[in-house]
Every structure is written in structure tokens, then in C-alpha cells.
């Protein structure tokens, strides 16, 4: 086994319980609030070609400022700038996703999820 593989395995063993805890959170996510699921969706939108830690910071900042569920792209962009690649487009993607999932003043992610057909749901 090469040194890089040994280091990776060692690191995994150190973090295994945190990884398993987070995986369990994902498994239970569909039972949570729509806003939490939408937050995870936004994280996924942001992490394409970007640093996950910085994207998480951006999502948390958007939530703190109440922009994730209410902000327009113009308000979201400055929070993303410097944290994610393609911040202008990704701000637009967040707003478009929210509009697709909107039910009145709330997001209705669970109403759009079909866990039996996850590929079509993703599309």
C-alpha cells in the first residue's frame, strides 16, 4: 500500500464517526423541514467547482441574513463572491430553484420529491 493510501485510510479512521453521523443526517433529511432540504440543495448547487467549506459558509451566511429563502439574485451574489466559482450564475440558480419549489410563501421540497424515482426527481 502506498503512503497516500495509508494516509487516506488513517484519516478516514480518525473521522469515521463524524462521517457516519453526517451520512445518517442525510438519510433522515427527507423527514426534516423543507427549508433544511432546500438549504442542502443550495449547498449542492454551490459546491460544483468550488470549495465545500467556503460554500457551507456562504449557505450559513445566506440563512443568517434570511436571503436563502427570500433574497433575490442581486442580494445573494455578494455573499457568494469570493466563496464560490461562478457566483453570478449560482445566485441565479438558487433563486430559480426556490421559485420552482415555491408553494405560496414557503418552499415545498418534499412535495416535489419522489423517492421512488430519484433520477427523475433530480432532473
Amino acid at each position: 500500500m502506498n503512503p497516500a493510501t495509508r494516509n487516506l485510510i488513517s484519516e478516514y479512521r480518525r473521522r469515521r464517526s463524524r462521517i457516519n453521523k453526517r451520512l445518517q443526517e442525510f438519510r433522515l433529511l427527507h423527514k426534516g423541514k423543507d427549508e433544511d432540504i432546500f438549504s442542502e440543495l443550495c449547498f449542492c448547487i454551490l459546491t460544483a467547482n468550488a470549495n465545500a467549506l467556503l460554500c457551507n459558509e456562504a449557505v450559513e451566511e445566506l440563512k443568517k441574513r434570511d436571503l436563502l429563502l427570500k433574497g433575490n439574485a442581486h442580494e445573494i451574489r455578494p455573499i457568494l463572491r469570493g466563496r464560490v466559482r461562478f457566483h453570478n450564475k449560482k445566485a441565479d440558480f438558487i433563486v430559480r430553484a426556490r421559485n420552482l419549489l415555491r408553494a405560496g410563501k414557503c418552499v415545498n421540497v418534499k412535495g416535489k420529491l419522489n423517492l421512488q424515482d430519484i433520477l427523475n426527481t433530480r432532473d
Side-chain angles (χ1 to χ4, degrees), residues 63-81:
K63 287 185 339 190
K64 184 173 100 177
R65 294 182 187 213
D66 205 22
L67 295 175
L68 199 61
L69 296 171
K70 297 179 182 174
N72 61 43
H74 180 73
E75 295 169 310
I76 292 172
R77 284 183 188 115
I79 307 302
L80 303 184
R81 186 177 295 120

Side-chain angles (χ1 to χ4, degrees), residues 40-103:
E40 289 291 338
L41 171 63
C42 292
F43 174 77
C44 292
I45 289 169
L46 297 180
T47 54
N49 295 308
N51 178 297
L53 294 175
L54 293 176
C55 293
N56 189 59
E57 280 181 18
V59 169
E60 292 303 318
E61 184 68 23
L62 290 169
K63 287 185 339 190
K64 184 173 100 177
R65 294 182 187 213
D66 205 22
L67 295 175
L68 199 61
L69 296 171
K70 297 179 182 174
N72 61 43
H74 180 73
E75 295 169 310
I76 292 172
R77 284 183 188 115
I79 307 302
L80 303 184
R81 186 177 295 120
R83 291 182 167 127
V84 305
R85 293 186 68 199
F86 314 113
H87 65 276
N88 291 322
K89 294 301 277 178
K90 289 181 181 180
D92 293 337
F93 293 160
I94 288 172
V95 172
R96 287 176 55 202
R98 186 179 59 219
N99 290 340
L100 282 171
L101 298 169
R102 186 169 300 284

Side-chain angles (χ1 to χ4, degrees), residues 11-25 53:
E11 191 65 26
Y12 168 74
R13 287 181 179 145
R14 274 187 345 96
R15 297 178 187 218
R16 183 182 350 211
S17 66
R18 281 188 9 211
I19 291 168
N20 287 332
K21 181 181 177 203
R22 188 67 174 129
L23 288 172
Q24 185 62 23
E25 289 173 12
L53 294 175

